[in-house]
Amino acid sequence: MDKKHFYITTPIYYPSAKAHIGHGLTTVMADAMTRFKKMQGYETRFLTGMDEHGQKVEKAALAAGKTPQQHVDDMAEMWSSLWKKLMVENDDFIRTTEHRHTEAAQALFKKIYDKGDIYLSKYQGWYCVSCETFFTERQVGEAHLCPDCGKMVETVEEESYFFRMSKYQDRLLEYIEAHPDFIQPVSRRNEMINFIKGGLEDLSVSRTTFGWGIPVPINSKHVIYVWFDALINYISALGYGTTQDALYQKFWPADIHLMAKDIIRFHTVIWPIILMAADIPLPKQIFGHGWVLLDTGKMSKSKGNVVDPVVLIEKYGTAAVRYFLLRDIPSGQDGYYSEAALVQRINIDLANDYGNLVSRTVAMVEKYFGGAVPSCGALTPLEEELRAIAKTAAEEAACCMEKLDFPNALSAVFKLIGRANKYIDETAPWTLAKDPAEKERLGTVMYHLMESVRIATLLISPAMPDIPAKVWAQTGHQAAENCLWEHAAWGGTKAGQPVKKGESLFPRIEWKEEAETPAPQPVAVPAAEKEPAAKAEPAETQALIDYEDFAKLDLRVARVLSCEKVEKADKLLKLEVQVGEERRTIVAGVAKYYTPEQMVGRKIVIVANLKPAKLRGIESQGMLLAASGDDMLEVITLQSEVPAGGKVK
Ligand code: MSP
């Protein structure tokens, strides 16, 4: 049977000297989506490339002392090597200076001209070279600044070919209204409907004052306007208009044109009208995701606040960088990047939750069953629940990924990982292992952990494609049997399968924030920092409180996920704890008595409704309970199966 097809594109990038993680987000999203569709049995095609013409490129080449062609050739190397480092597997890399593209762009220009929708006139107005966009007097205002990037615009007065966009305004609006999925997310759809309703003017689609572009086929004094040229890449790369158009026949119309919101207007107005004028079907969806922001604002080369993905990959690895981008930038909205947030994701999600689940599982199968996966025995409600959660994780993750909502897709998978970790605490395999009569039960537990690891690994593979092979090397699963979405069904682990402990998947990162100015003295201090109890008043003389006073305290069980010393504070440890579904940071004065390693994994008791207090600049969201005596202190630690989040009364 013929396979279902899926075609996704990213914007083609300008040959700027510096790629940043904002560019990385679009391309990693497109790559993860392609991998997901492949796992669902689609024949996929993923296109990215470079937008090599225009005044901006010509100027940059001149400044670098190169010809424009030399300049773009050098940059093409940089972009394609970046995508390799990010494990982006694009099927094609189109460059608009390639013959296959220039030919298609000229053919399309001519087709629309012959139809009468392109005509010669005179352009008088303003142009932003940085955005390669024309603006009206009203848009640039008295200061003559680009409304998009804020730079000075240039005045332009020249003969130009115009594209009769105004003619298509109503048809485009009708199309958008009849196809609710055409522009996504909905906020961008509404924005564009309003923009189009505001009225479309004919667009200047040729320039005469510089030469770095595709010559207009009917008048070589003109070059084609760079956006008109660039948008055509999505079909020129498929062989549109040539005798070798098998890819075009198979993959057009595209399923998704993916980009950030800043260029959605070009894609939802100019591009559909080009296609309408040329009688070509429209793409199925144009999706505008949000921006990656820094606390200094949107990342951009001109502001000089760019974060180089290559530096991050070298420091933290591709999987972690991809995971952060897909997990932390909410679908369709802007999201923030900081190195501290990236390290936190690595330490908590990847090292503590996922990595630990894998290593604990493999280590226990080695220890209790000599490295061969045991068979599964009778189930208890705990196993039924774990299986149900694994099923829901696969369903929810698929549903979110269909909508390019990677943060929620990953969160669905991490619910399974979190539940499997809790299952270890609940079943306490180390206790079962002490009793030979519990051998079968122990086997069932191990089998369920192996399956949880397998399914979670399969489901996160679109986000972190290099991880499954590393996991399978330890768990003994076969890659070929664990590469399709349907393989996430329960039961793929085989009894007798050999496991072998390997290196930790995600070693914890020691992270030091830049030196901070000392924080003001806290008002609320954790109990553990107070004077030892020996000096306290005898209990019988203390004022008694009512039960209502005690009931005001929300005491909860919390699991310590990670812990580190607070710099320049001998007594303080910073703990990341899990309380139910929630994560909190707690700063506690226990460093004299406990090392960070001794704290990780403990189930402690915290006061969960204490007003947050800043300790050494870190906000402590609660306080842990500890018993103290003369020069001694013991953090109250639970040994039982009470889950994190459970109430202490
Ligand atoms: N060459 C045009 C696109 C032509 S498509 C026919 C262009 N290129 S660009 O190099 O400026 O890259 C634009 C794309 O990079 C954005 O649409 C977006 O996909 C991505 N991003 C650039 N900065 C970004 C952020 N700070 N955050 C998220 N994505 C960003 O425009």
Side-chain angles (χ1 to χ4, degrees), residues 116-407:
D117 283 343
I118 287 179
Y119 60 92
L120 190 62
S121 183
K122 196 164 188 179
Y123 180 78
Q124 193 174 13
W126 299 95
Y127 192 73
C128 173
V129 178
S130 184
C131 299
E132 299 280 20
T133 309
F134 296 102
F135 292 106
T136 61
E137 184 80 39
R138 190 173 50 80
Q139 286 172 311
V140 299
E142 279 180 12
H144 299 149
L145 299 179
C146 169
D148 288 349
C149 72
K151 289 193 190 147
M152 276 298 265
V153 289
E154 290 181 0
T155 170
V156 174
E157 188 175 346
E158 61 190 61
E159 183 185 80
S160 178
Y161 284 93
F162 279 80
F163 180 30
R164 240 180 259 287
M165 300 235 300
S166 53
K167 175 178 153 187
Y168 289 90
Q169 174 174 328
D170 293 342
R171 201 170 135 191
L172 179 61
L173 261 181
E174 275 164 31
Y175 187 89
I176 294 173
E177 268 155 13
H179 297 83
D181 287 339
F182 180 56
I183 306 176
Q184 281 295 317
V186 178
S187 54
R188 312 246 185 280
R189 179 171 189 268
N190 297 339
E191 212 176 284
M192 290 323 302
I193 290 177
N194 287 338
F195 175 80
I196 299 163
K197 280 186 177 160
L200 295 184
E201 288 176 13
D202 291 352
L203 177 74
S204 163
V205 287
S206 75
R207 303 288 313 272
T208 55
T209 47
F210 67 94
W212 185 238
I214 302 176
V216 165
I218 40 165
N219 185 344
S220 58
K221 272 198 333 224
H222 291 243
V223 291
I224 300 178
Y225 169 47
V226 65
W227 270 102
F228 190 98
D229 153 357
L231 289 159
I232 292 168
N233 89 88
Y234 301 130
I235 53 174
S236 65
L238 298 178
Y240 166 79
T242 69
T243 48
Q244 270 142 15
D245 68 350
L247 287 173
Y248 175 79
Q249 296 302 340
K250 190 184 260 184
F251 288 104
W252 192 259
D255 291 271
I256 303 174
H257 287 322
L258 183 64
M259 68 209 64
K261 60 187 183 183
D262 49 342
I263 55 171
I264 201 104
R265 201 172 68 216
F266 300 93
H267 284 79
T268 56
V269 180
I270 306 178
W271 180 225
I273 296 181
I274 294 176
L275 294 170
M276 280 175 175
D279 298 317
I280 298 173
L282 267 51
K284 293 180 202 155
Q285 184 169 99
I286 291 156
F287 190 100
H289 64 74
W291 284 331
V292 180
L293 301 176
L294 301 177
D295 49 13
T296 47
K298 180 178 180 257
M299 211 177 302
S300 79
K301 195 167 64 96
S302 49
K303 279 198 202 162
N305 61 348
V306 297
V307 176
D308 185 345
V310 178
V311 172
L312 292 186
I313 293 167
E314 278 160 10
K315 212 161 157 190
Y316 300 114
T318 301
V321 174
R322 285 179 63 118
Y323 178 76
F324 175 83
L325 288 172
L326 296 172
R327 178 68 185 83
D328 265 47
I329 313 299
S331 157
Q333 292 163 38
D334 296 345
Y336 282 87
Y337 163 82
S338 73
E339 197 164 347
L342 167 63
V343 169
Q344 175 142 328
R345 282 285 176 207
I346 297 174
N347 282 347
I348 296 182
D349 296 15
L350 300 181
N352 201 72
D353 292 355
Y354 176 54
N356 254 348
L357 176 66
V358 176
S359 60
R360 287 167 91 190
T361 301
V362 171
M364 288 192 286
V365 174
E366 271 194 344
K367 187 167 169 194
Y368 303 138
F369 292 92
V373 176
S375 50
C376 179
L379 308 189
T380 73
L382 277 181
E383 283 75 44
E384 306 279 9
E385 192 197 337
L386 193 59
R387 286 174 182 219
I389 286 174
K391 186 163 178 276
T392 311
E395 287 164 0
E396 255 181 55
C399 178
C400 294
M401 280 201 231
E402 285 290 350
K403 294 184 277 186
L404 289 153
D405 180 359
F406 292 102

Side-chain angles (χ1 to χ4, degrees), residues 372-502:
V373 176
S375 50
C376 179
L379 308 189
T380 73
L382 277 181
E383 283 75 44
E384 306 279 9
E385 192 197 337
L386 193 59
R387 286 174 182 219
I389 286 174
K391 186 163 178 276
T392 311
E395 287 164 0
E396 255 181 55
C399 178
C400 294
M401 280 201 231
E402 285 290 350
K403 294 184 277 186
L404 289 153
D405 180 359
F406 292 102
N408 280 314
L410 290 168
S411 151
V413 184
F414 272 78
K415 276 187 206 152
L416 168 63
I417 292 169
R419 187 65 191 86
N421 275 320
K422 192 170 151 210
Y423 175 74
I424 300 182
D425 297 343
E426 289 165 343
T427 52
W430 43 92
T431 311
L432 296 174
K434 288 185 192 139
D435 183 353
E438 295 285 10
K439 194 78 179 169
E440 185 189 314
R441 174 80 194 125
L442 183 61
T444 304
V445 170
M446 288 304 118
Y447 187 86
H448 278 74
L449 288 174
M450 285 292 293
E451 267 300 85
S452 303
V453 165
R454 185 186 72 83
I455 294 170
T457 303
L458 189 73
L459 301 182
I460 54 168
S461 63
M464 296 187 283
D466 54 337
I467 294 304
K470 293 183 185 171
V471 174
W472 307 152
Q474 298 193 37
T475 60
H477 290 105
Q478 296 300 311
E481 292 164 7
N482 289 289
C483 55
L484 295 178
W485 206 257
E486 66 191 36
H487 294 151
W490 192 268
T493 298
K494 298 185 181 79
Q497 185 176 313
V499 307
K500 192 169 184 327
K501 199 157 165 41

Side-chain angles (χ1 to χ4, degrees), residues 631-645:
D631 206 27
M632 63 178 293
L633 179 139
E634 188 173 345
V635 171
I636 294 178
T637 306
L638 301 175
Q639 302 295 345
S640 74
E641 292 172 10
V642 185

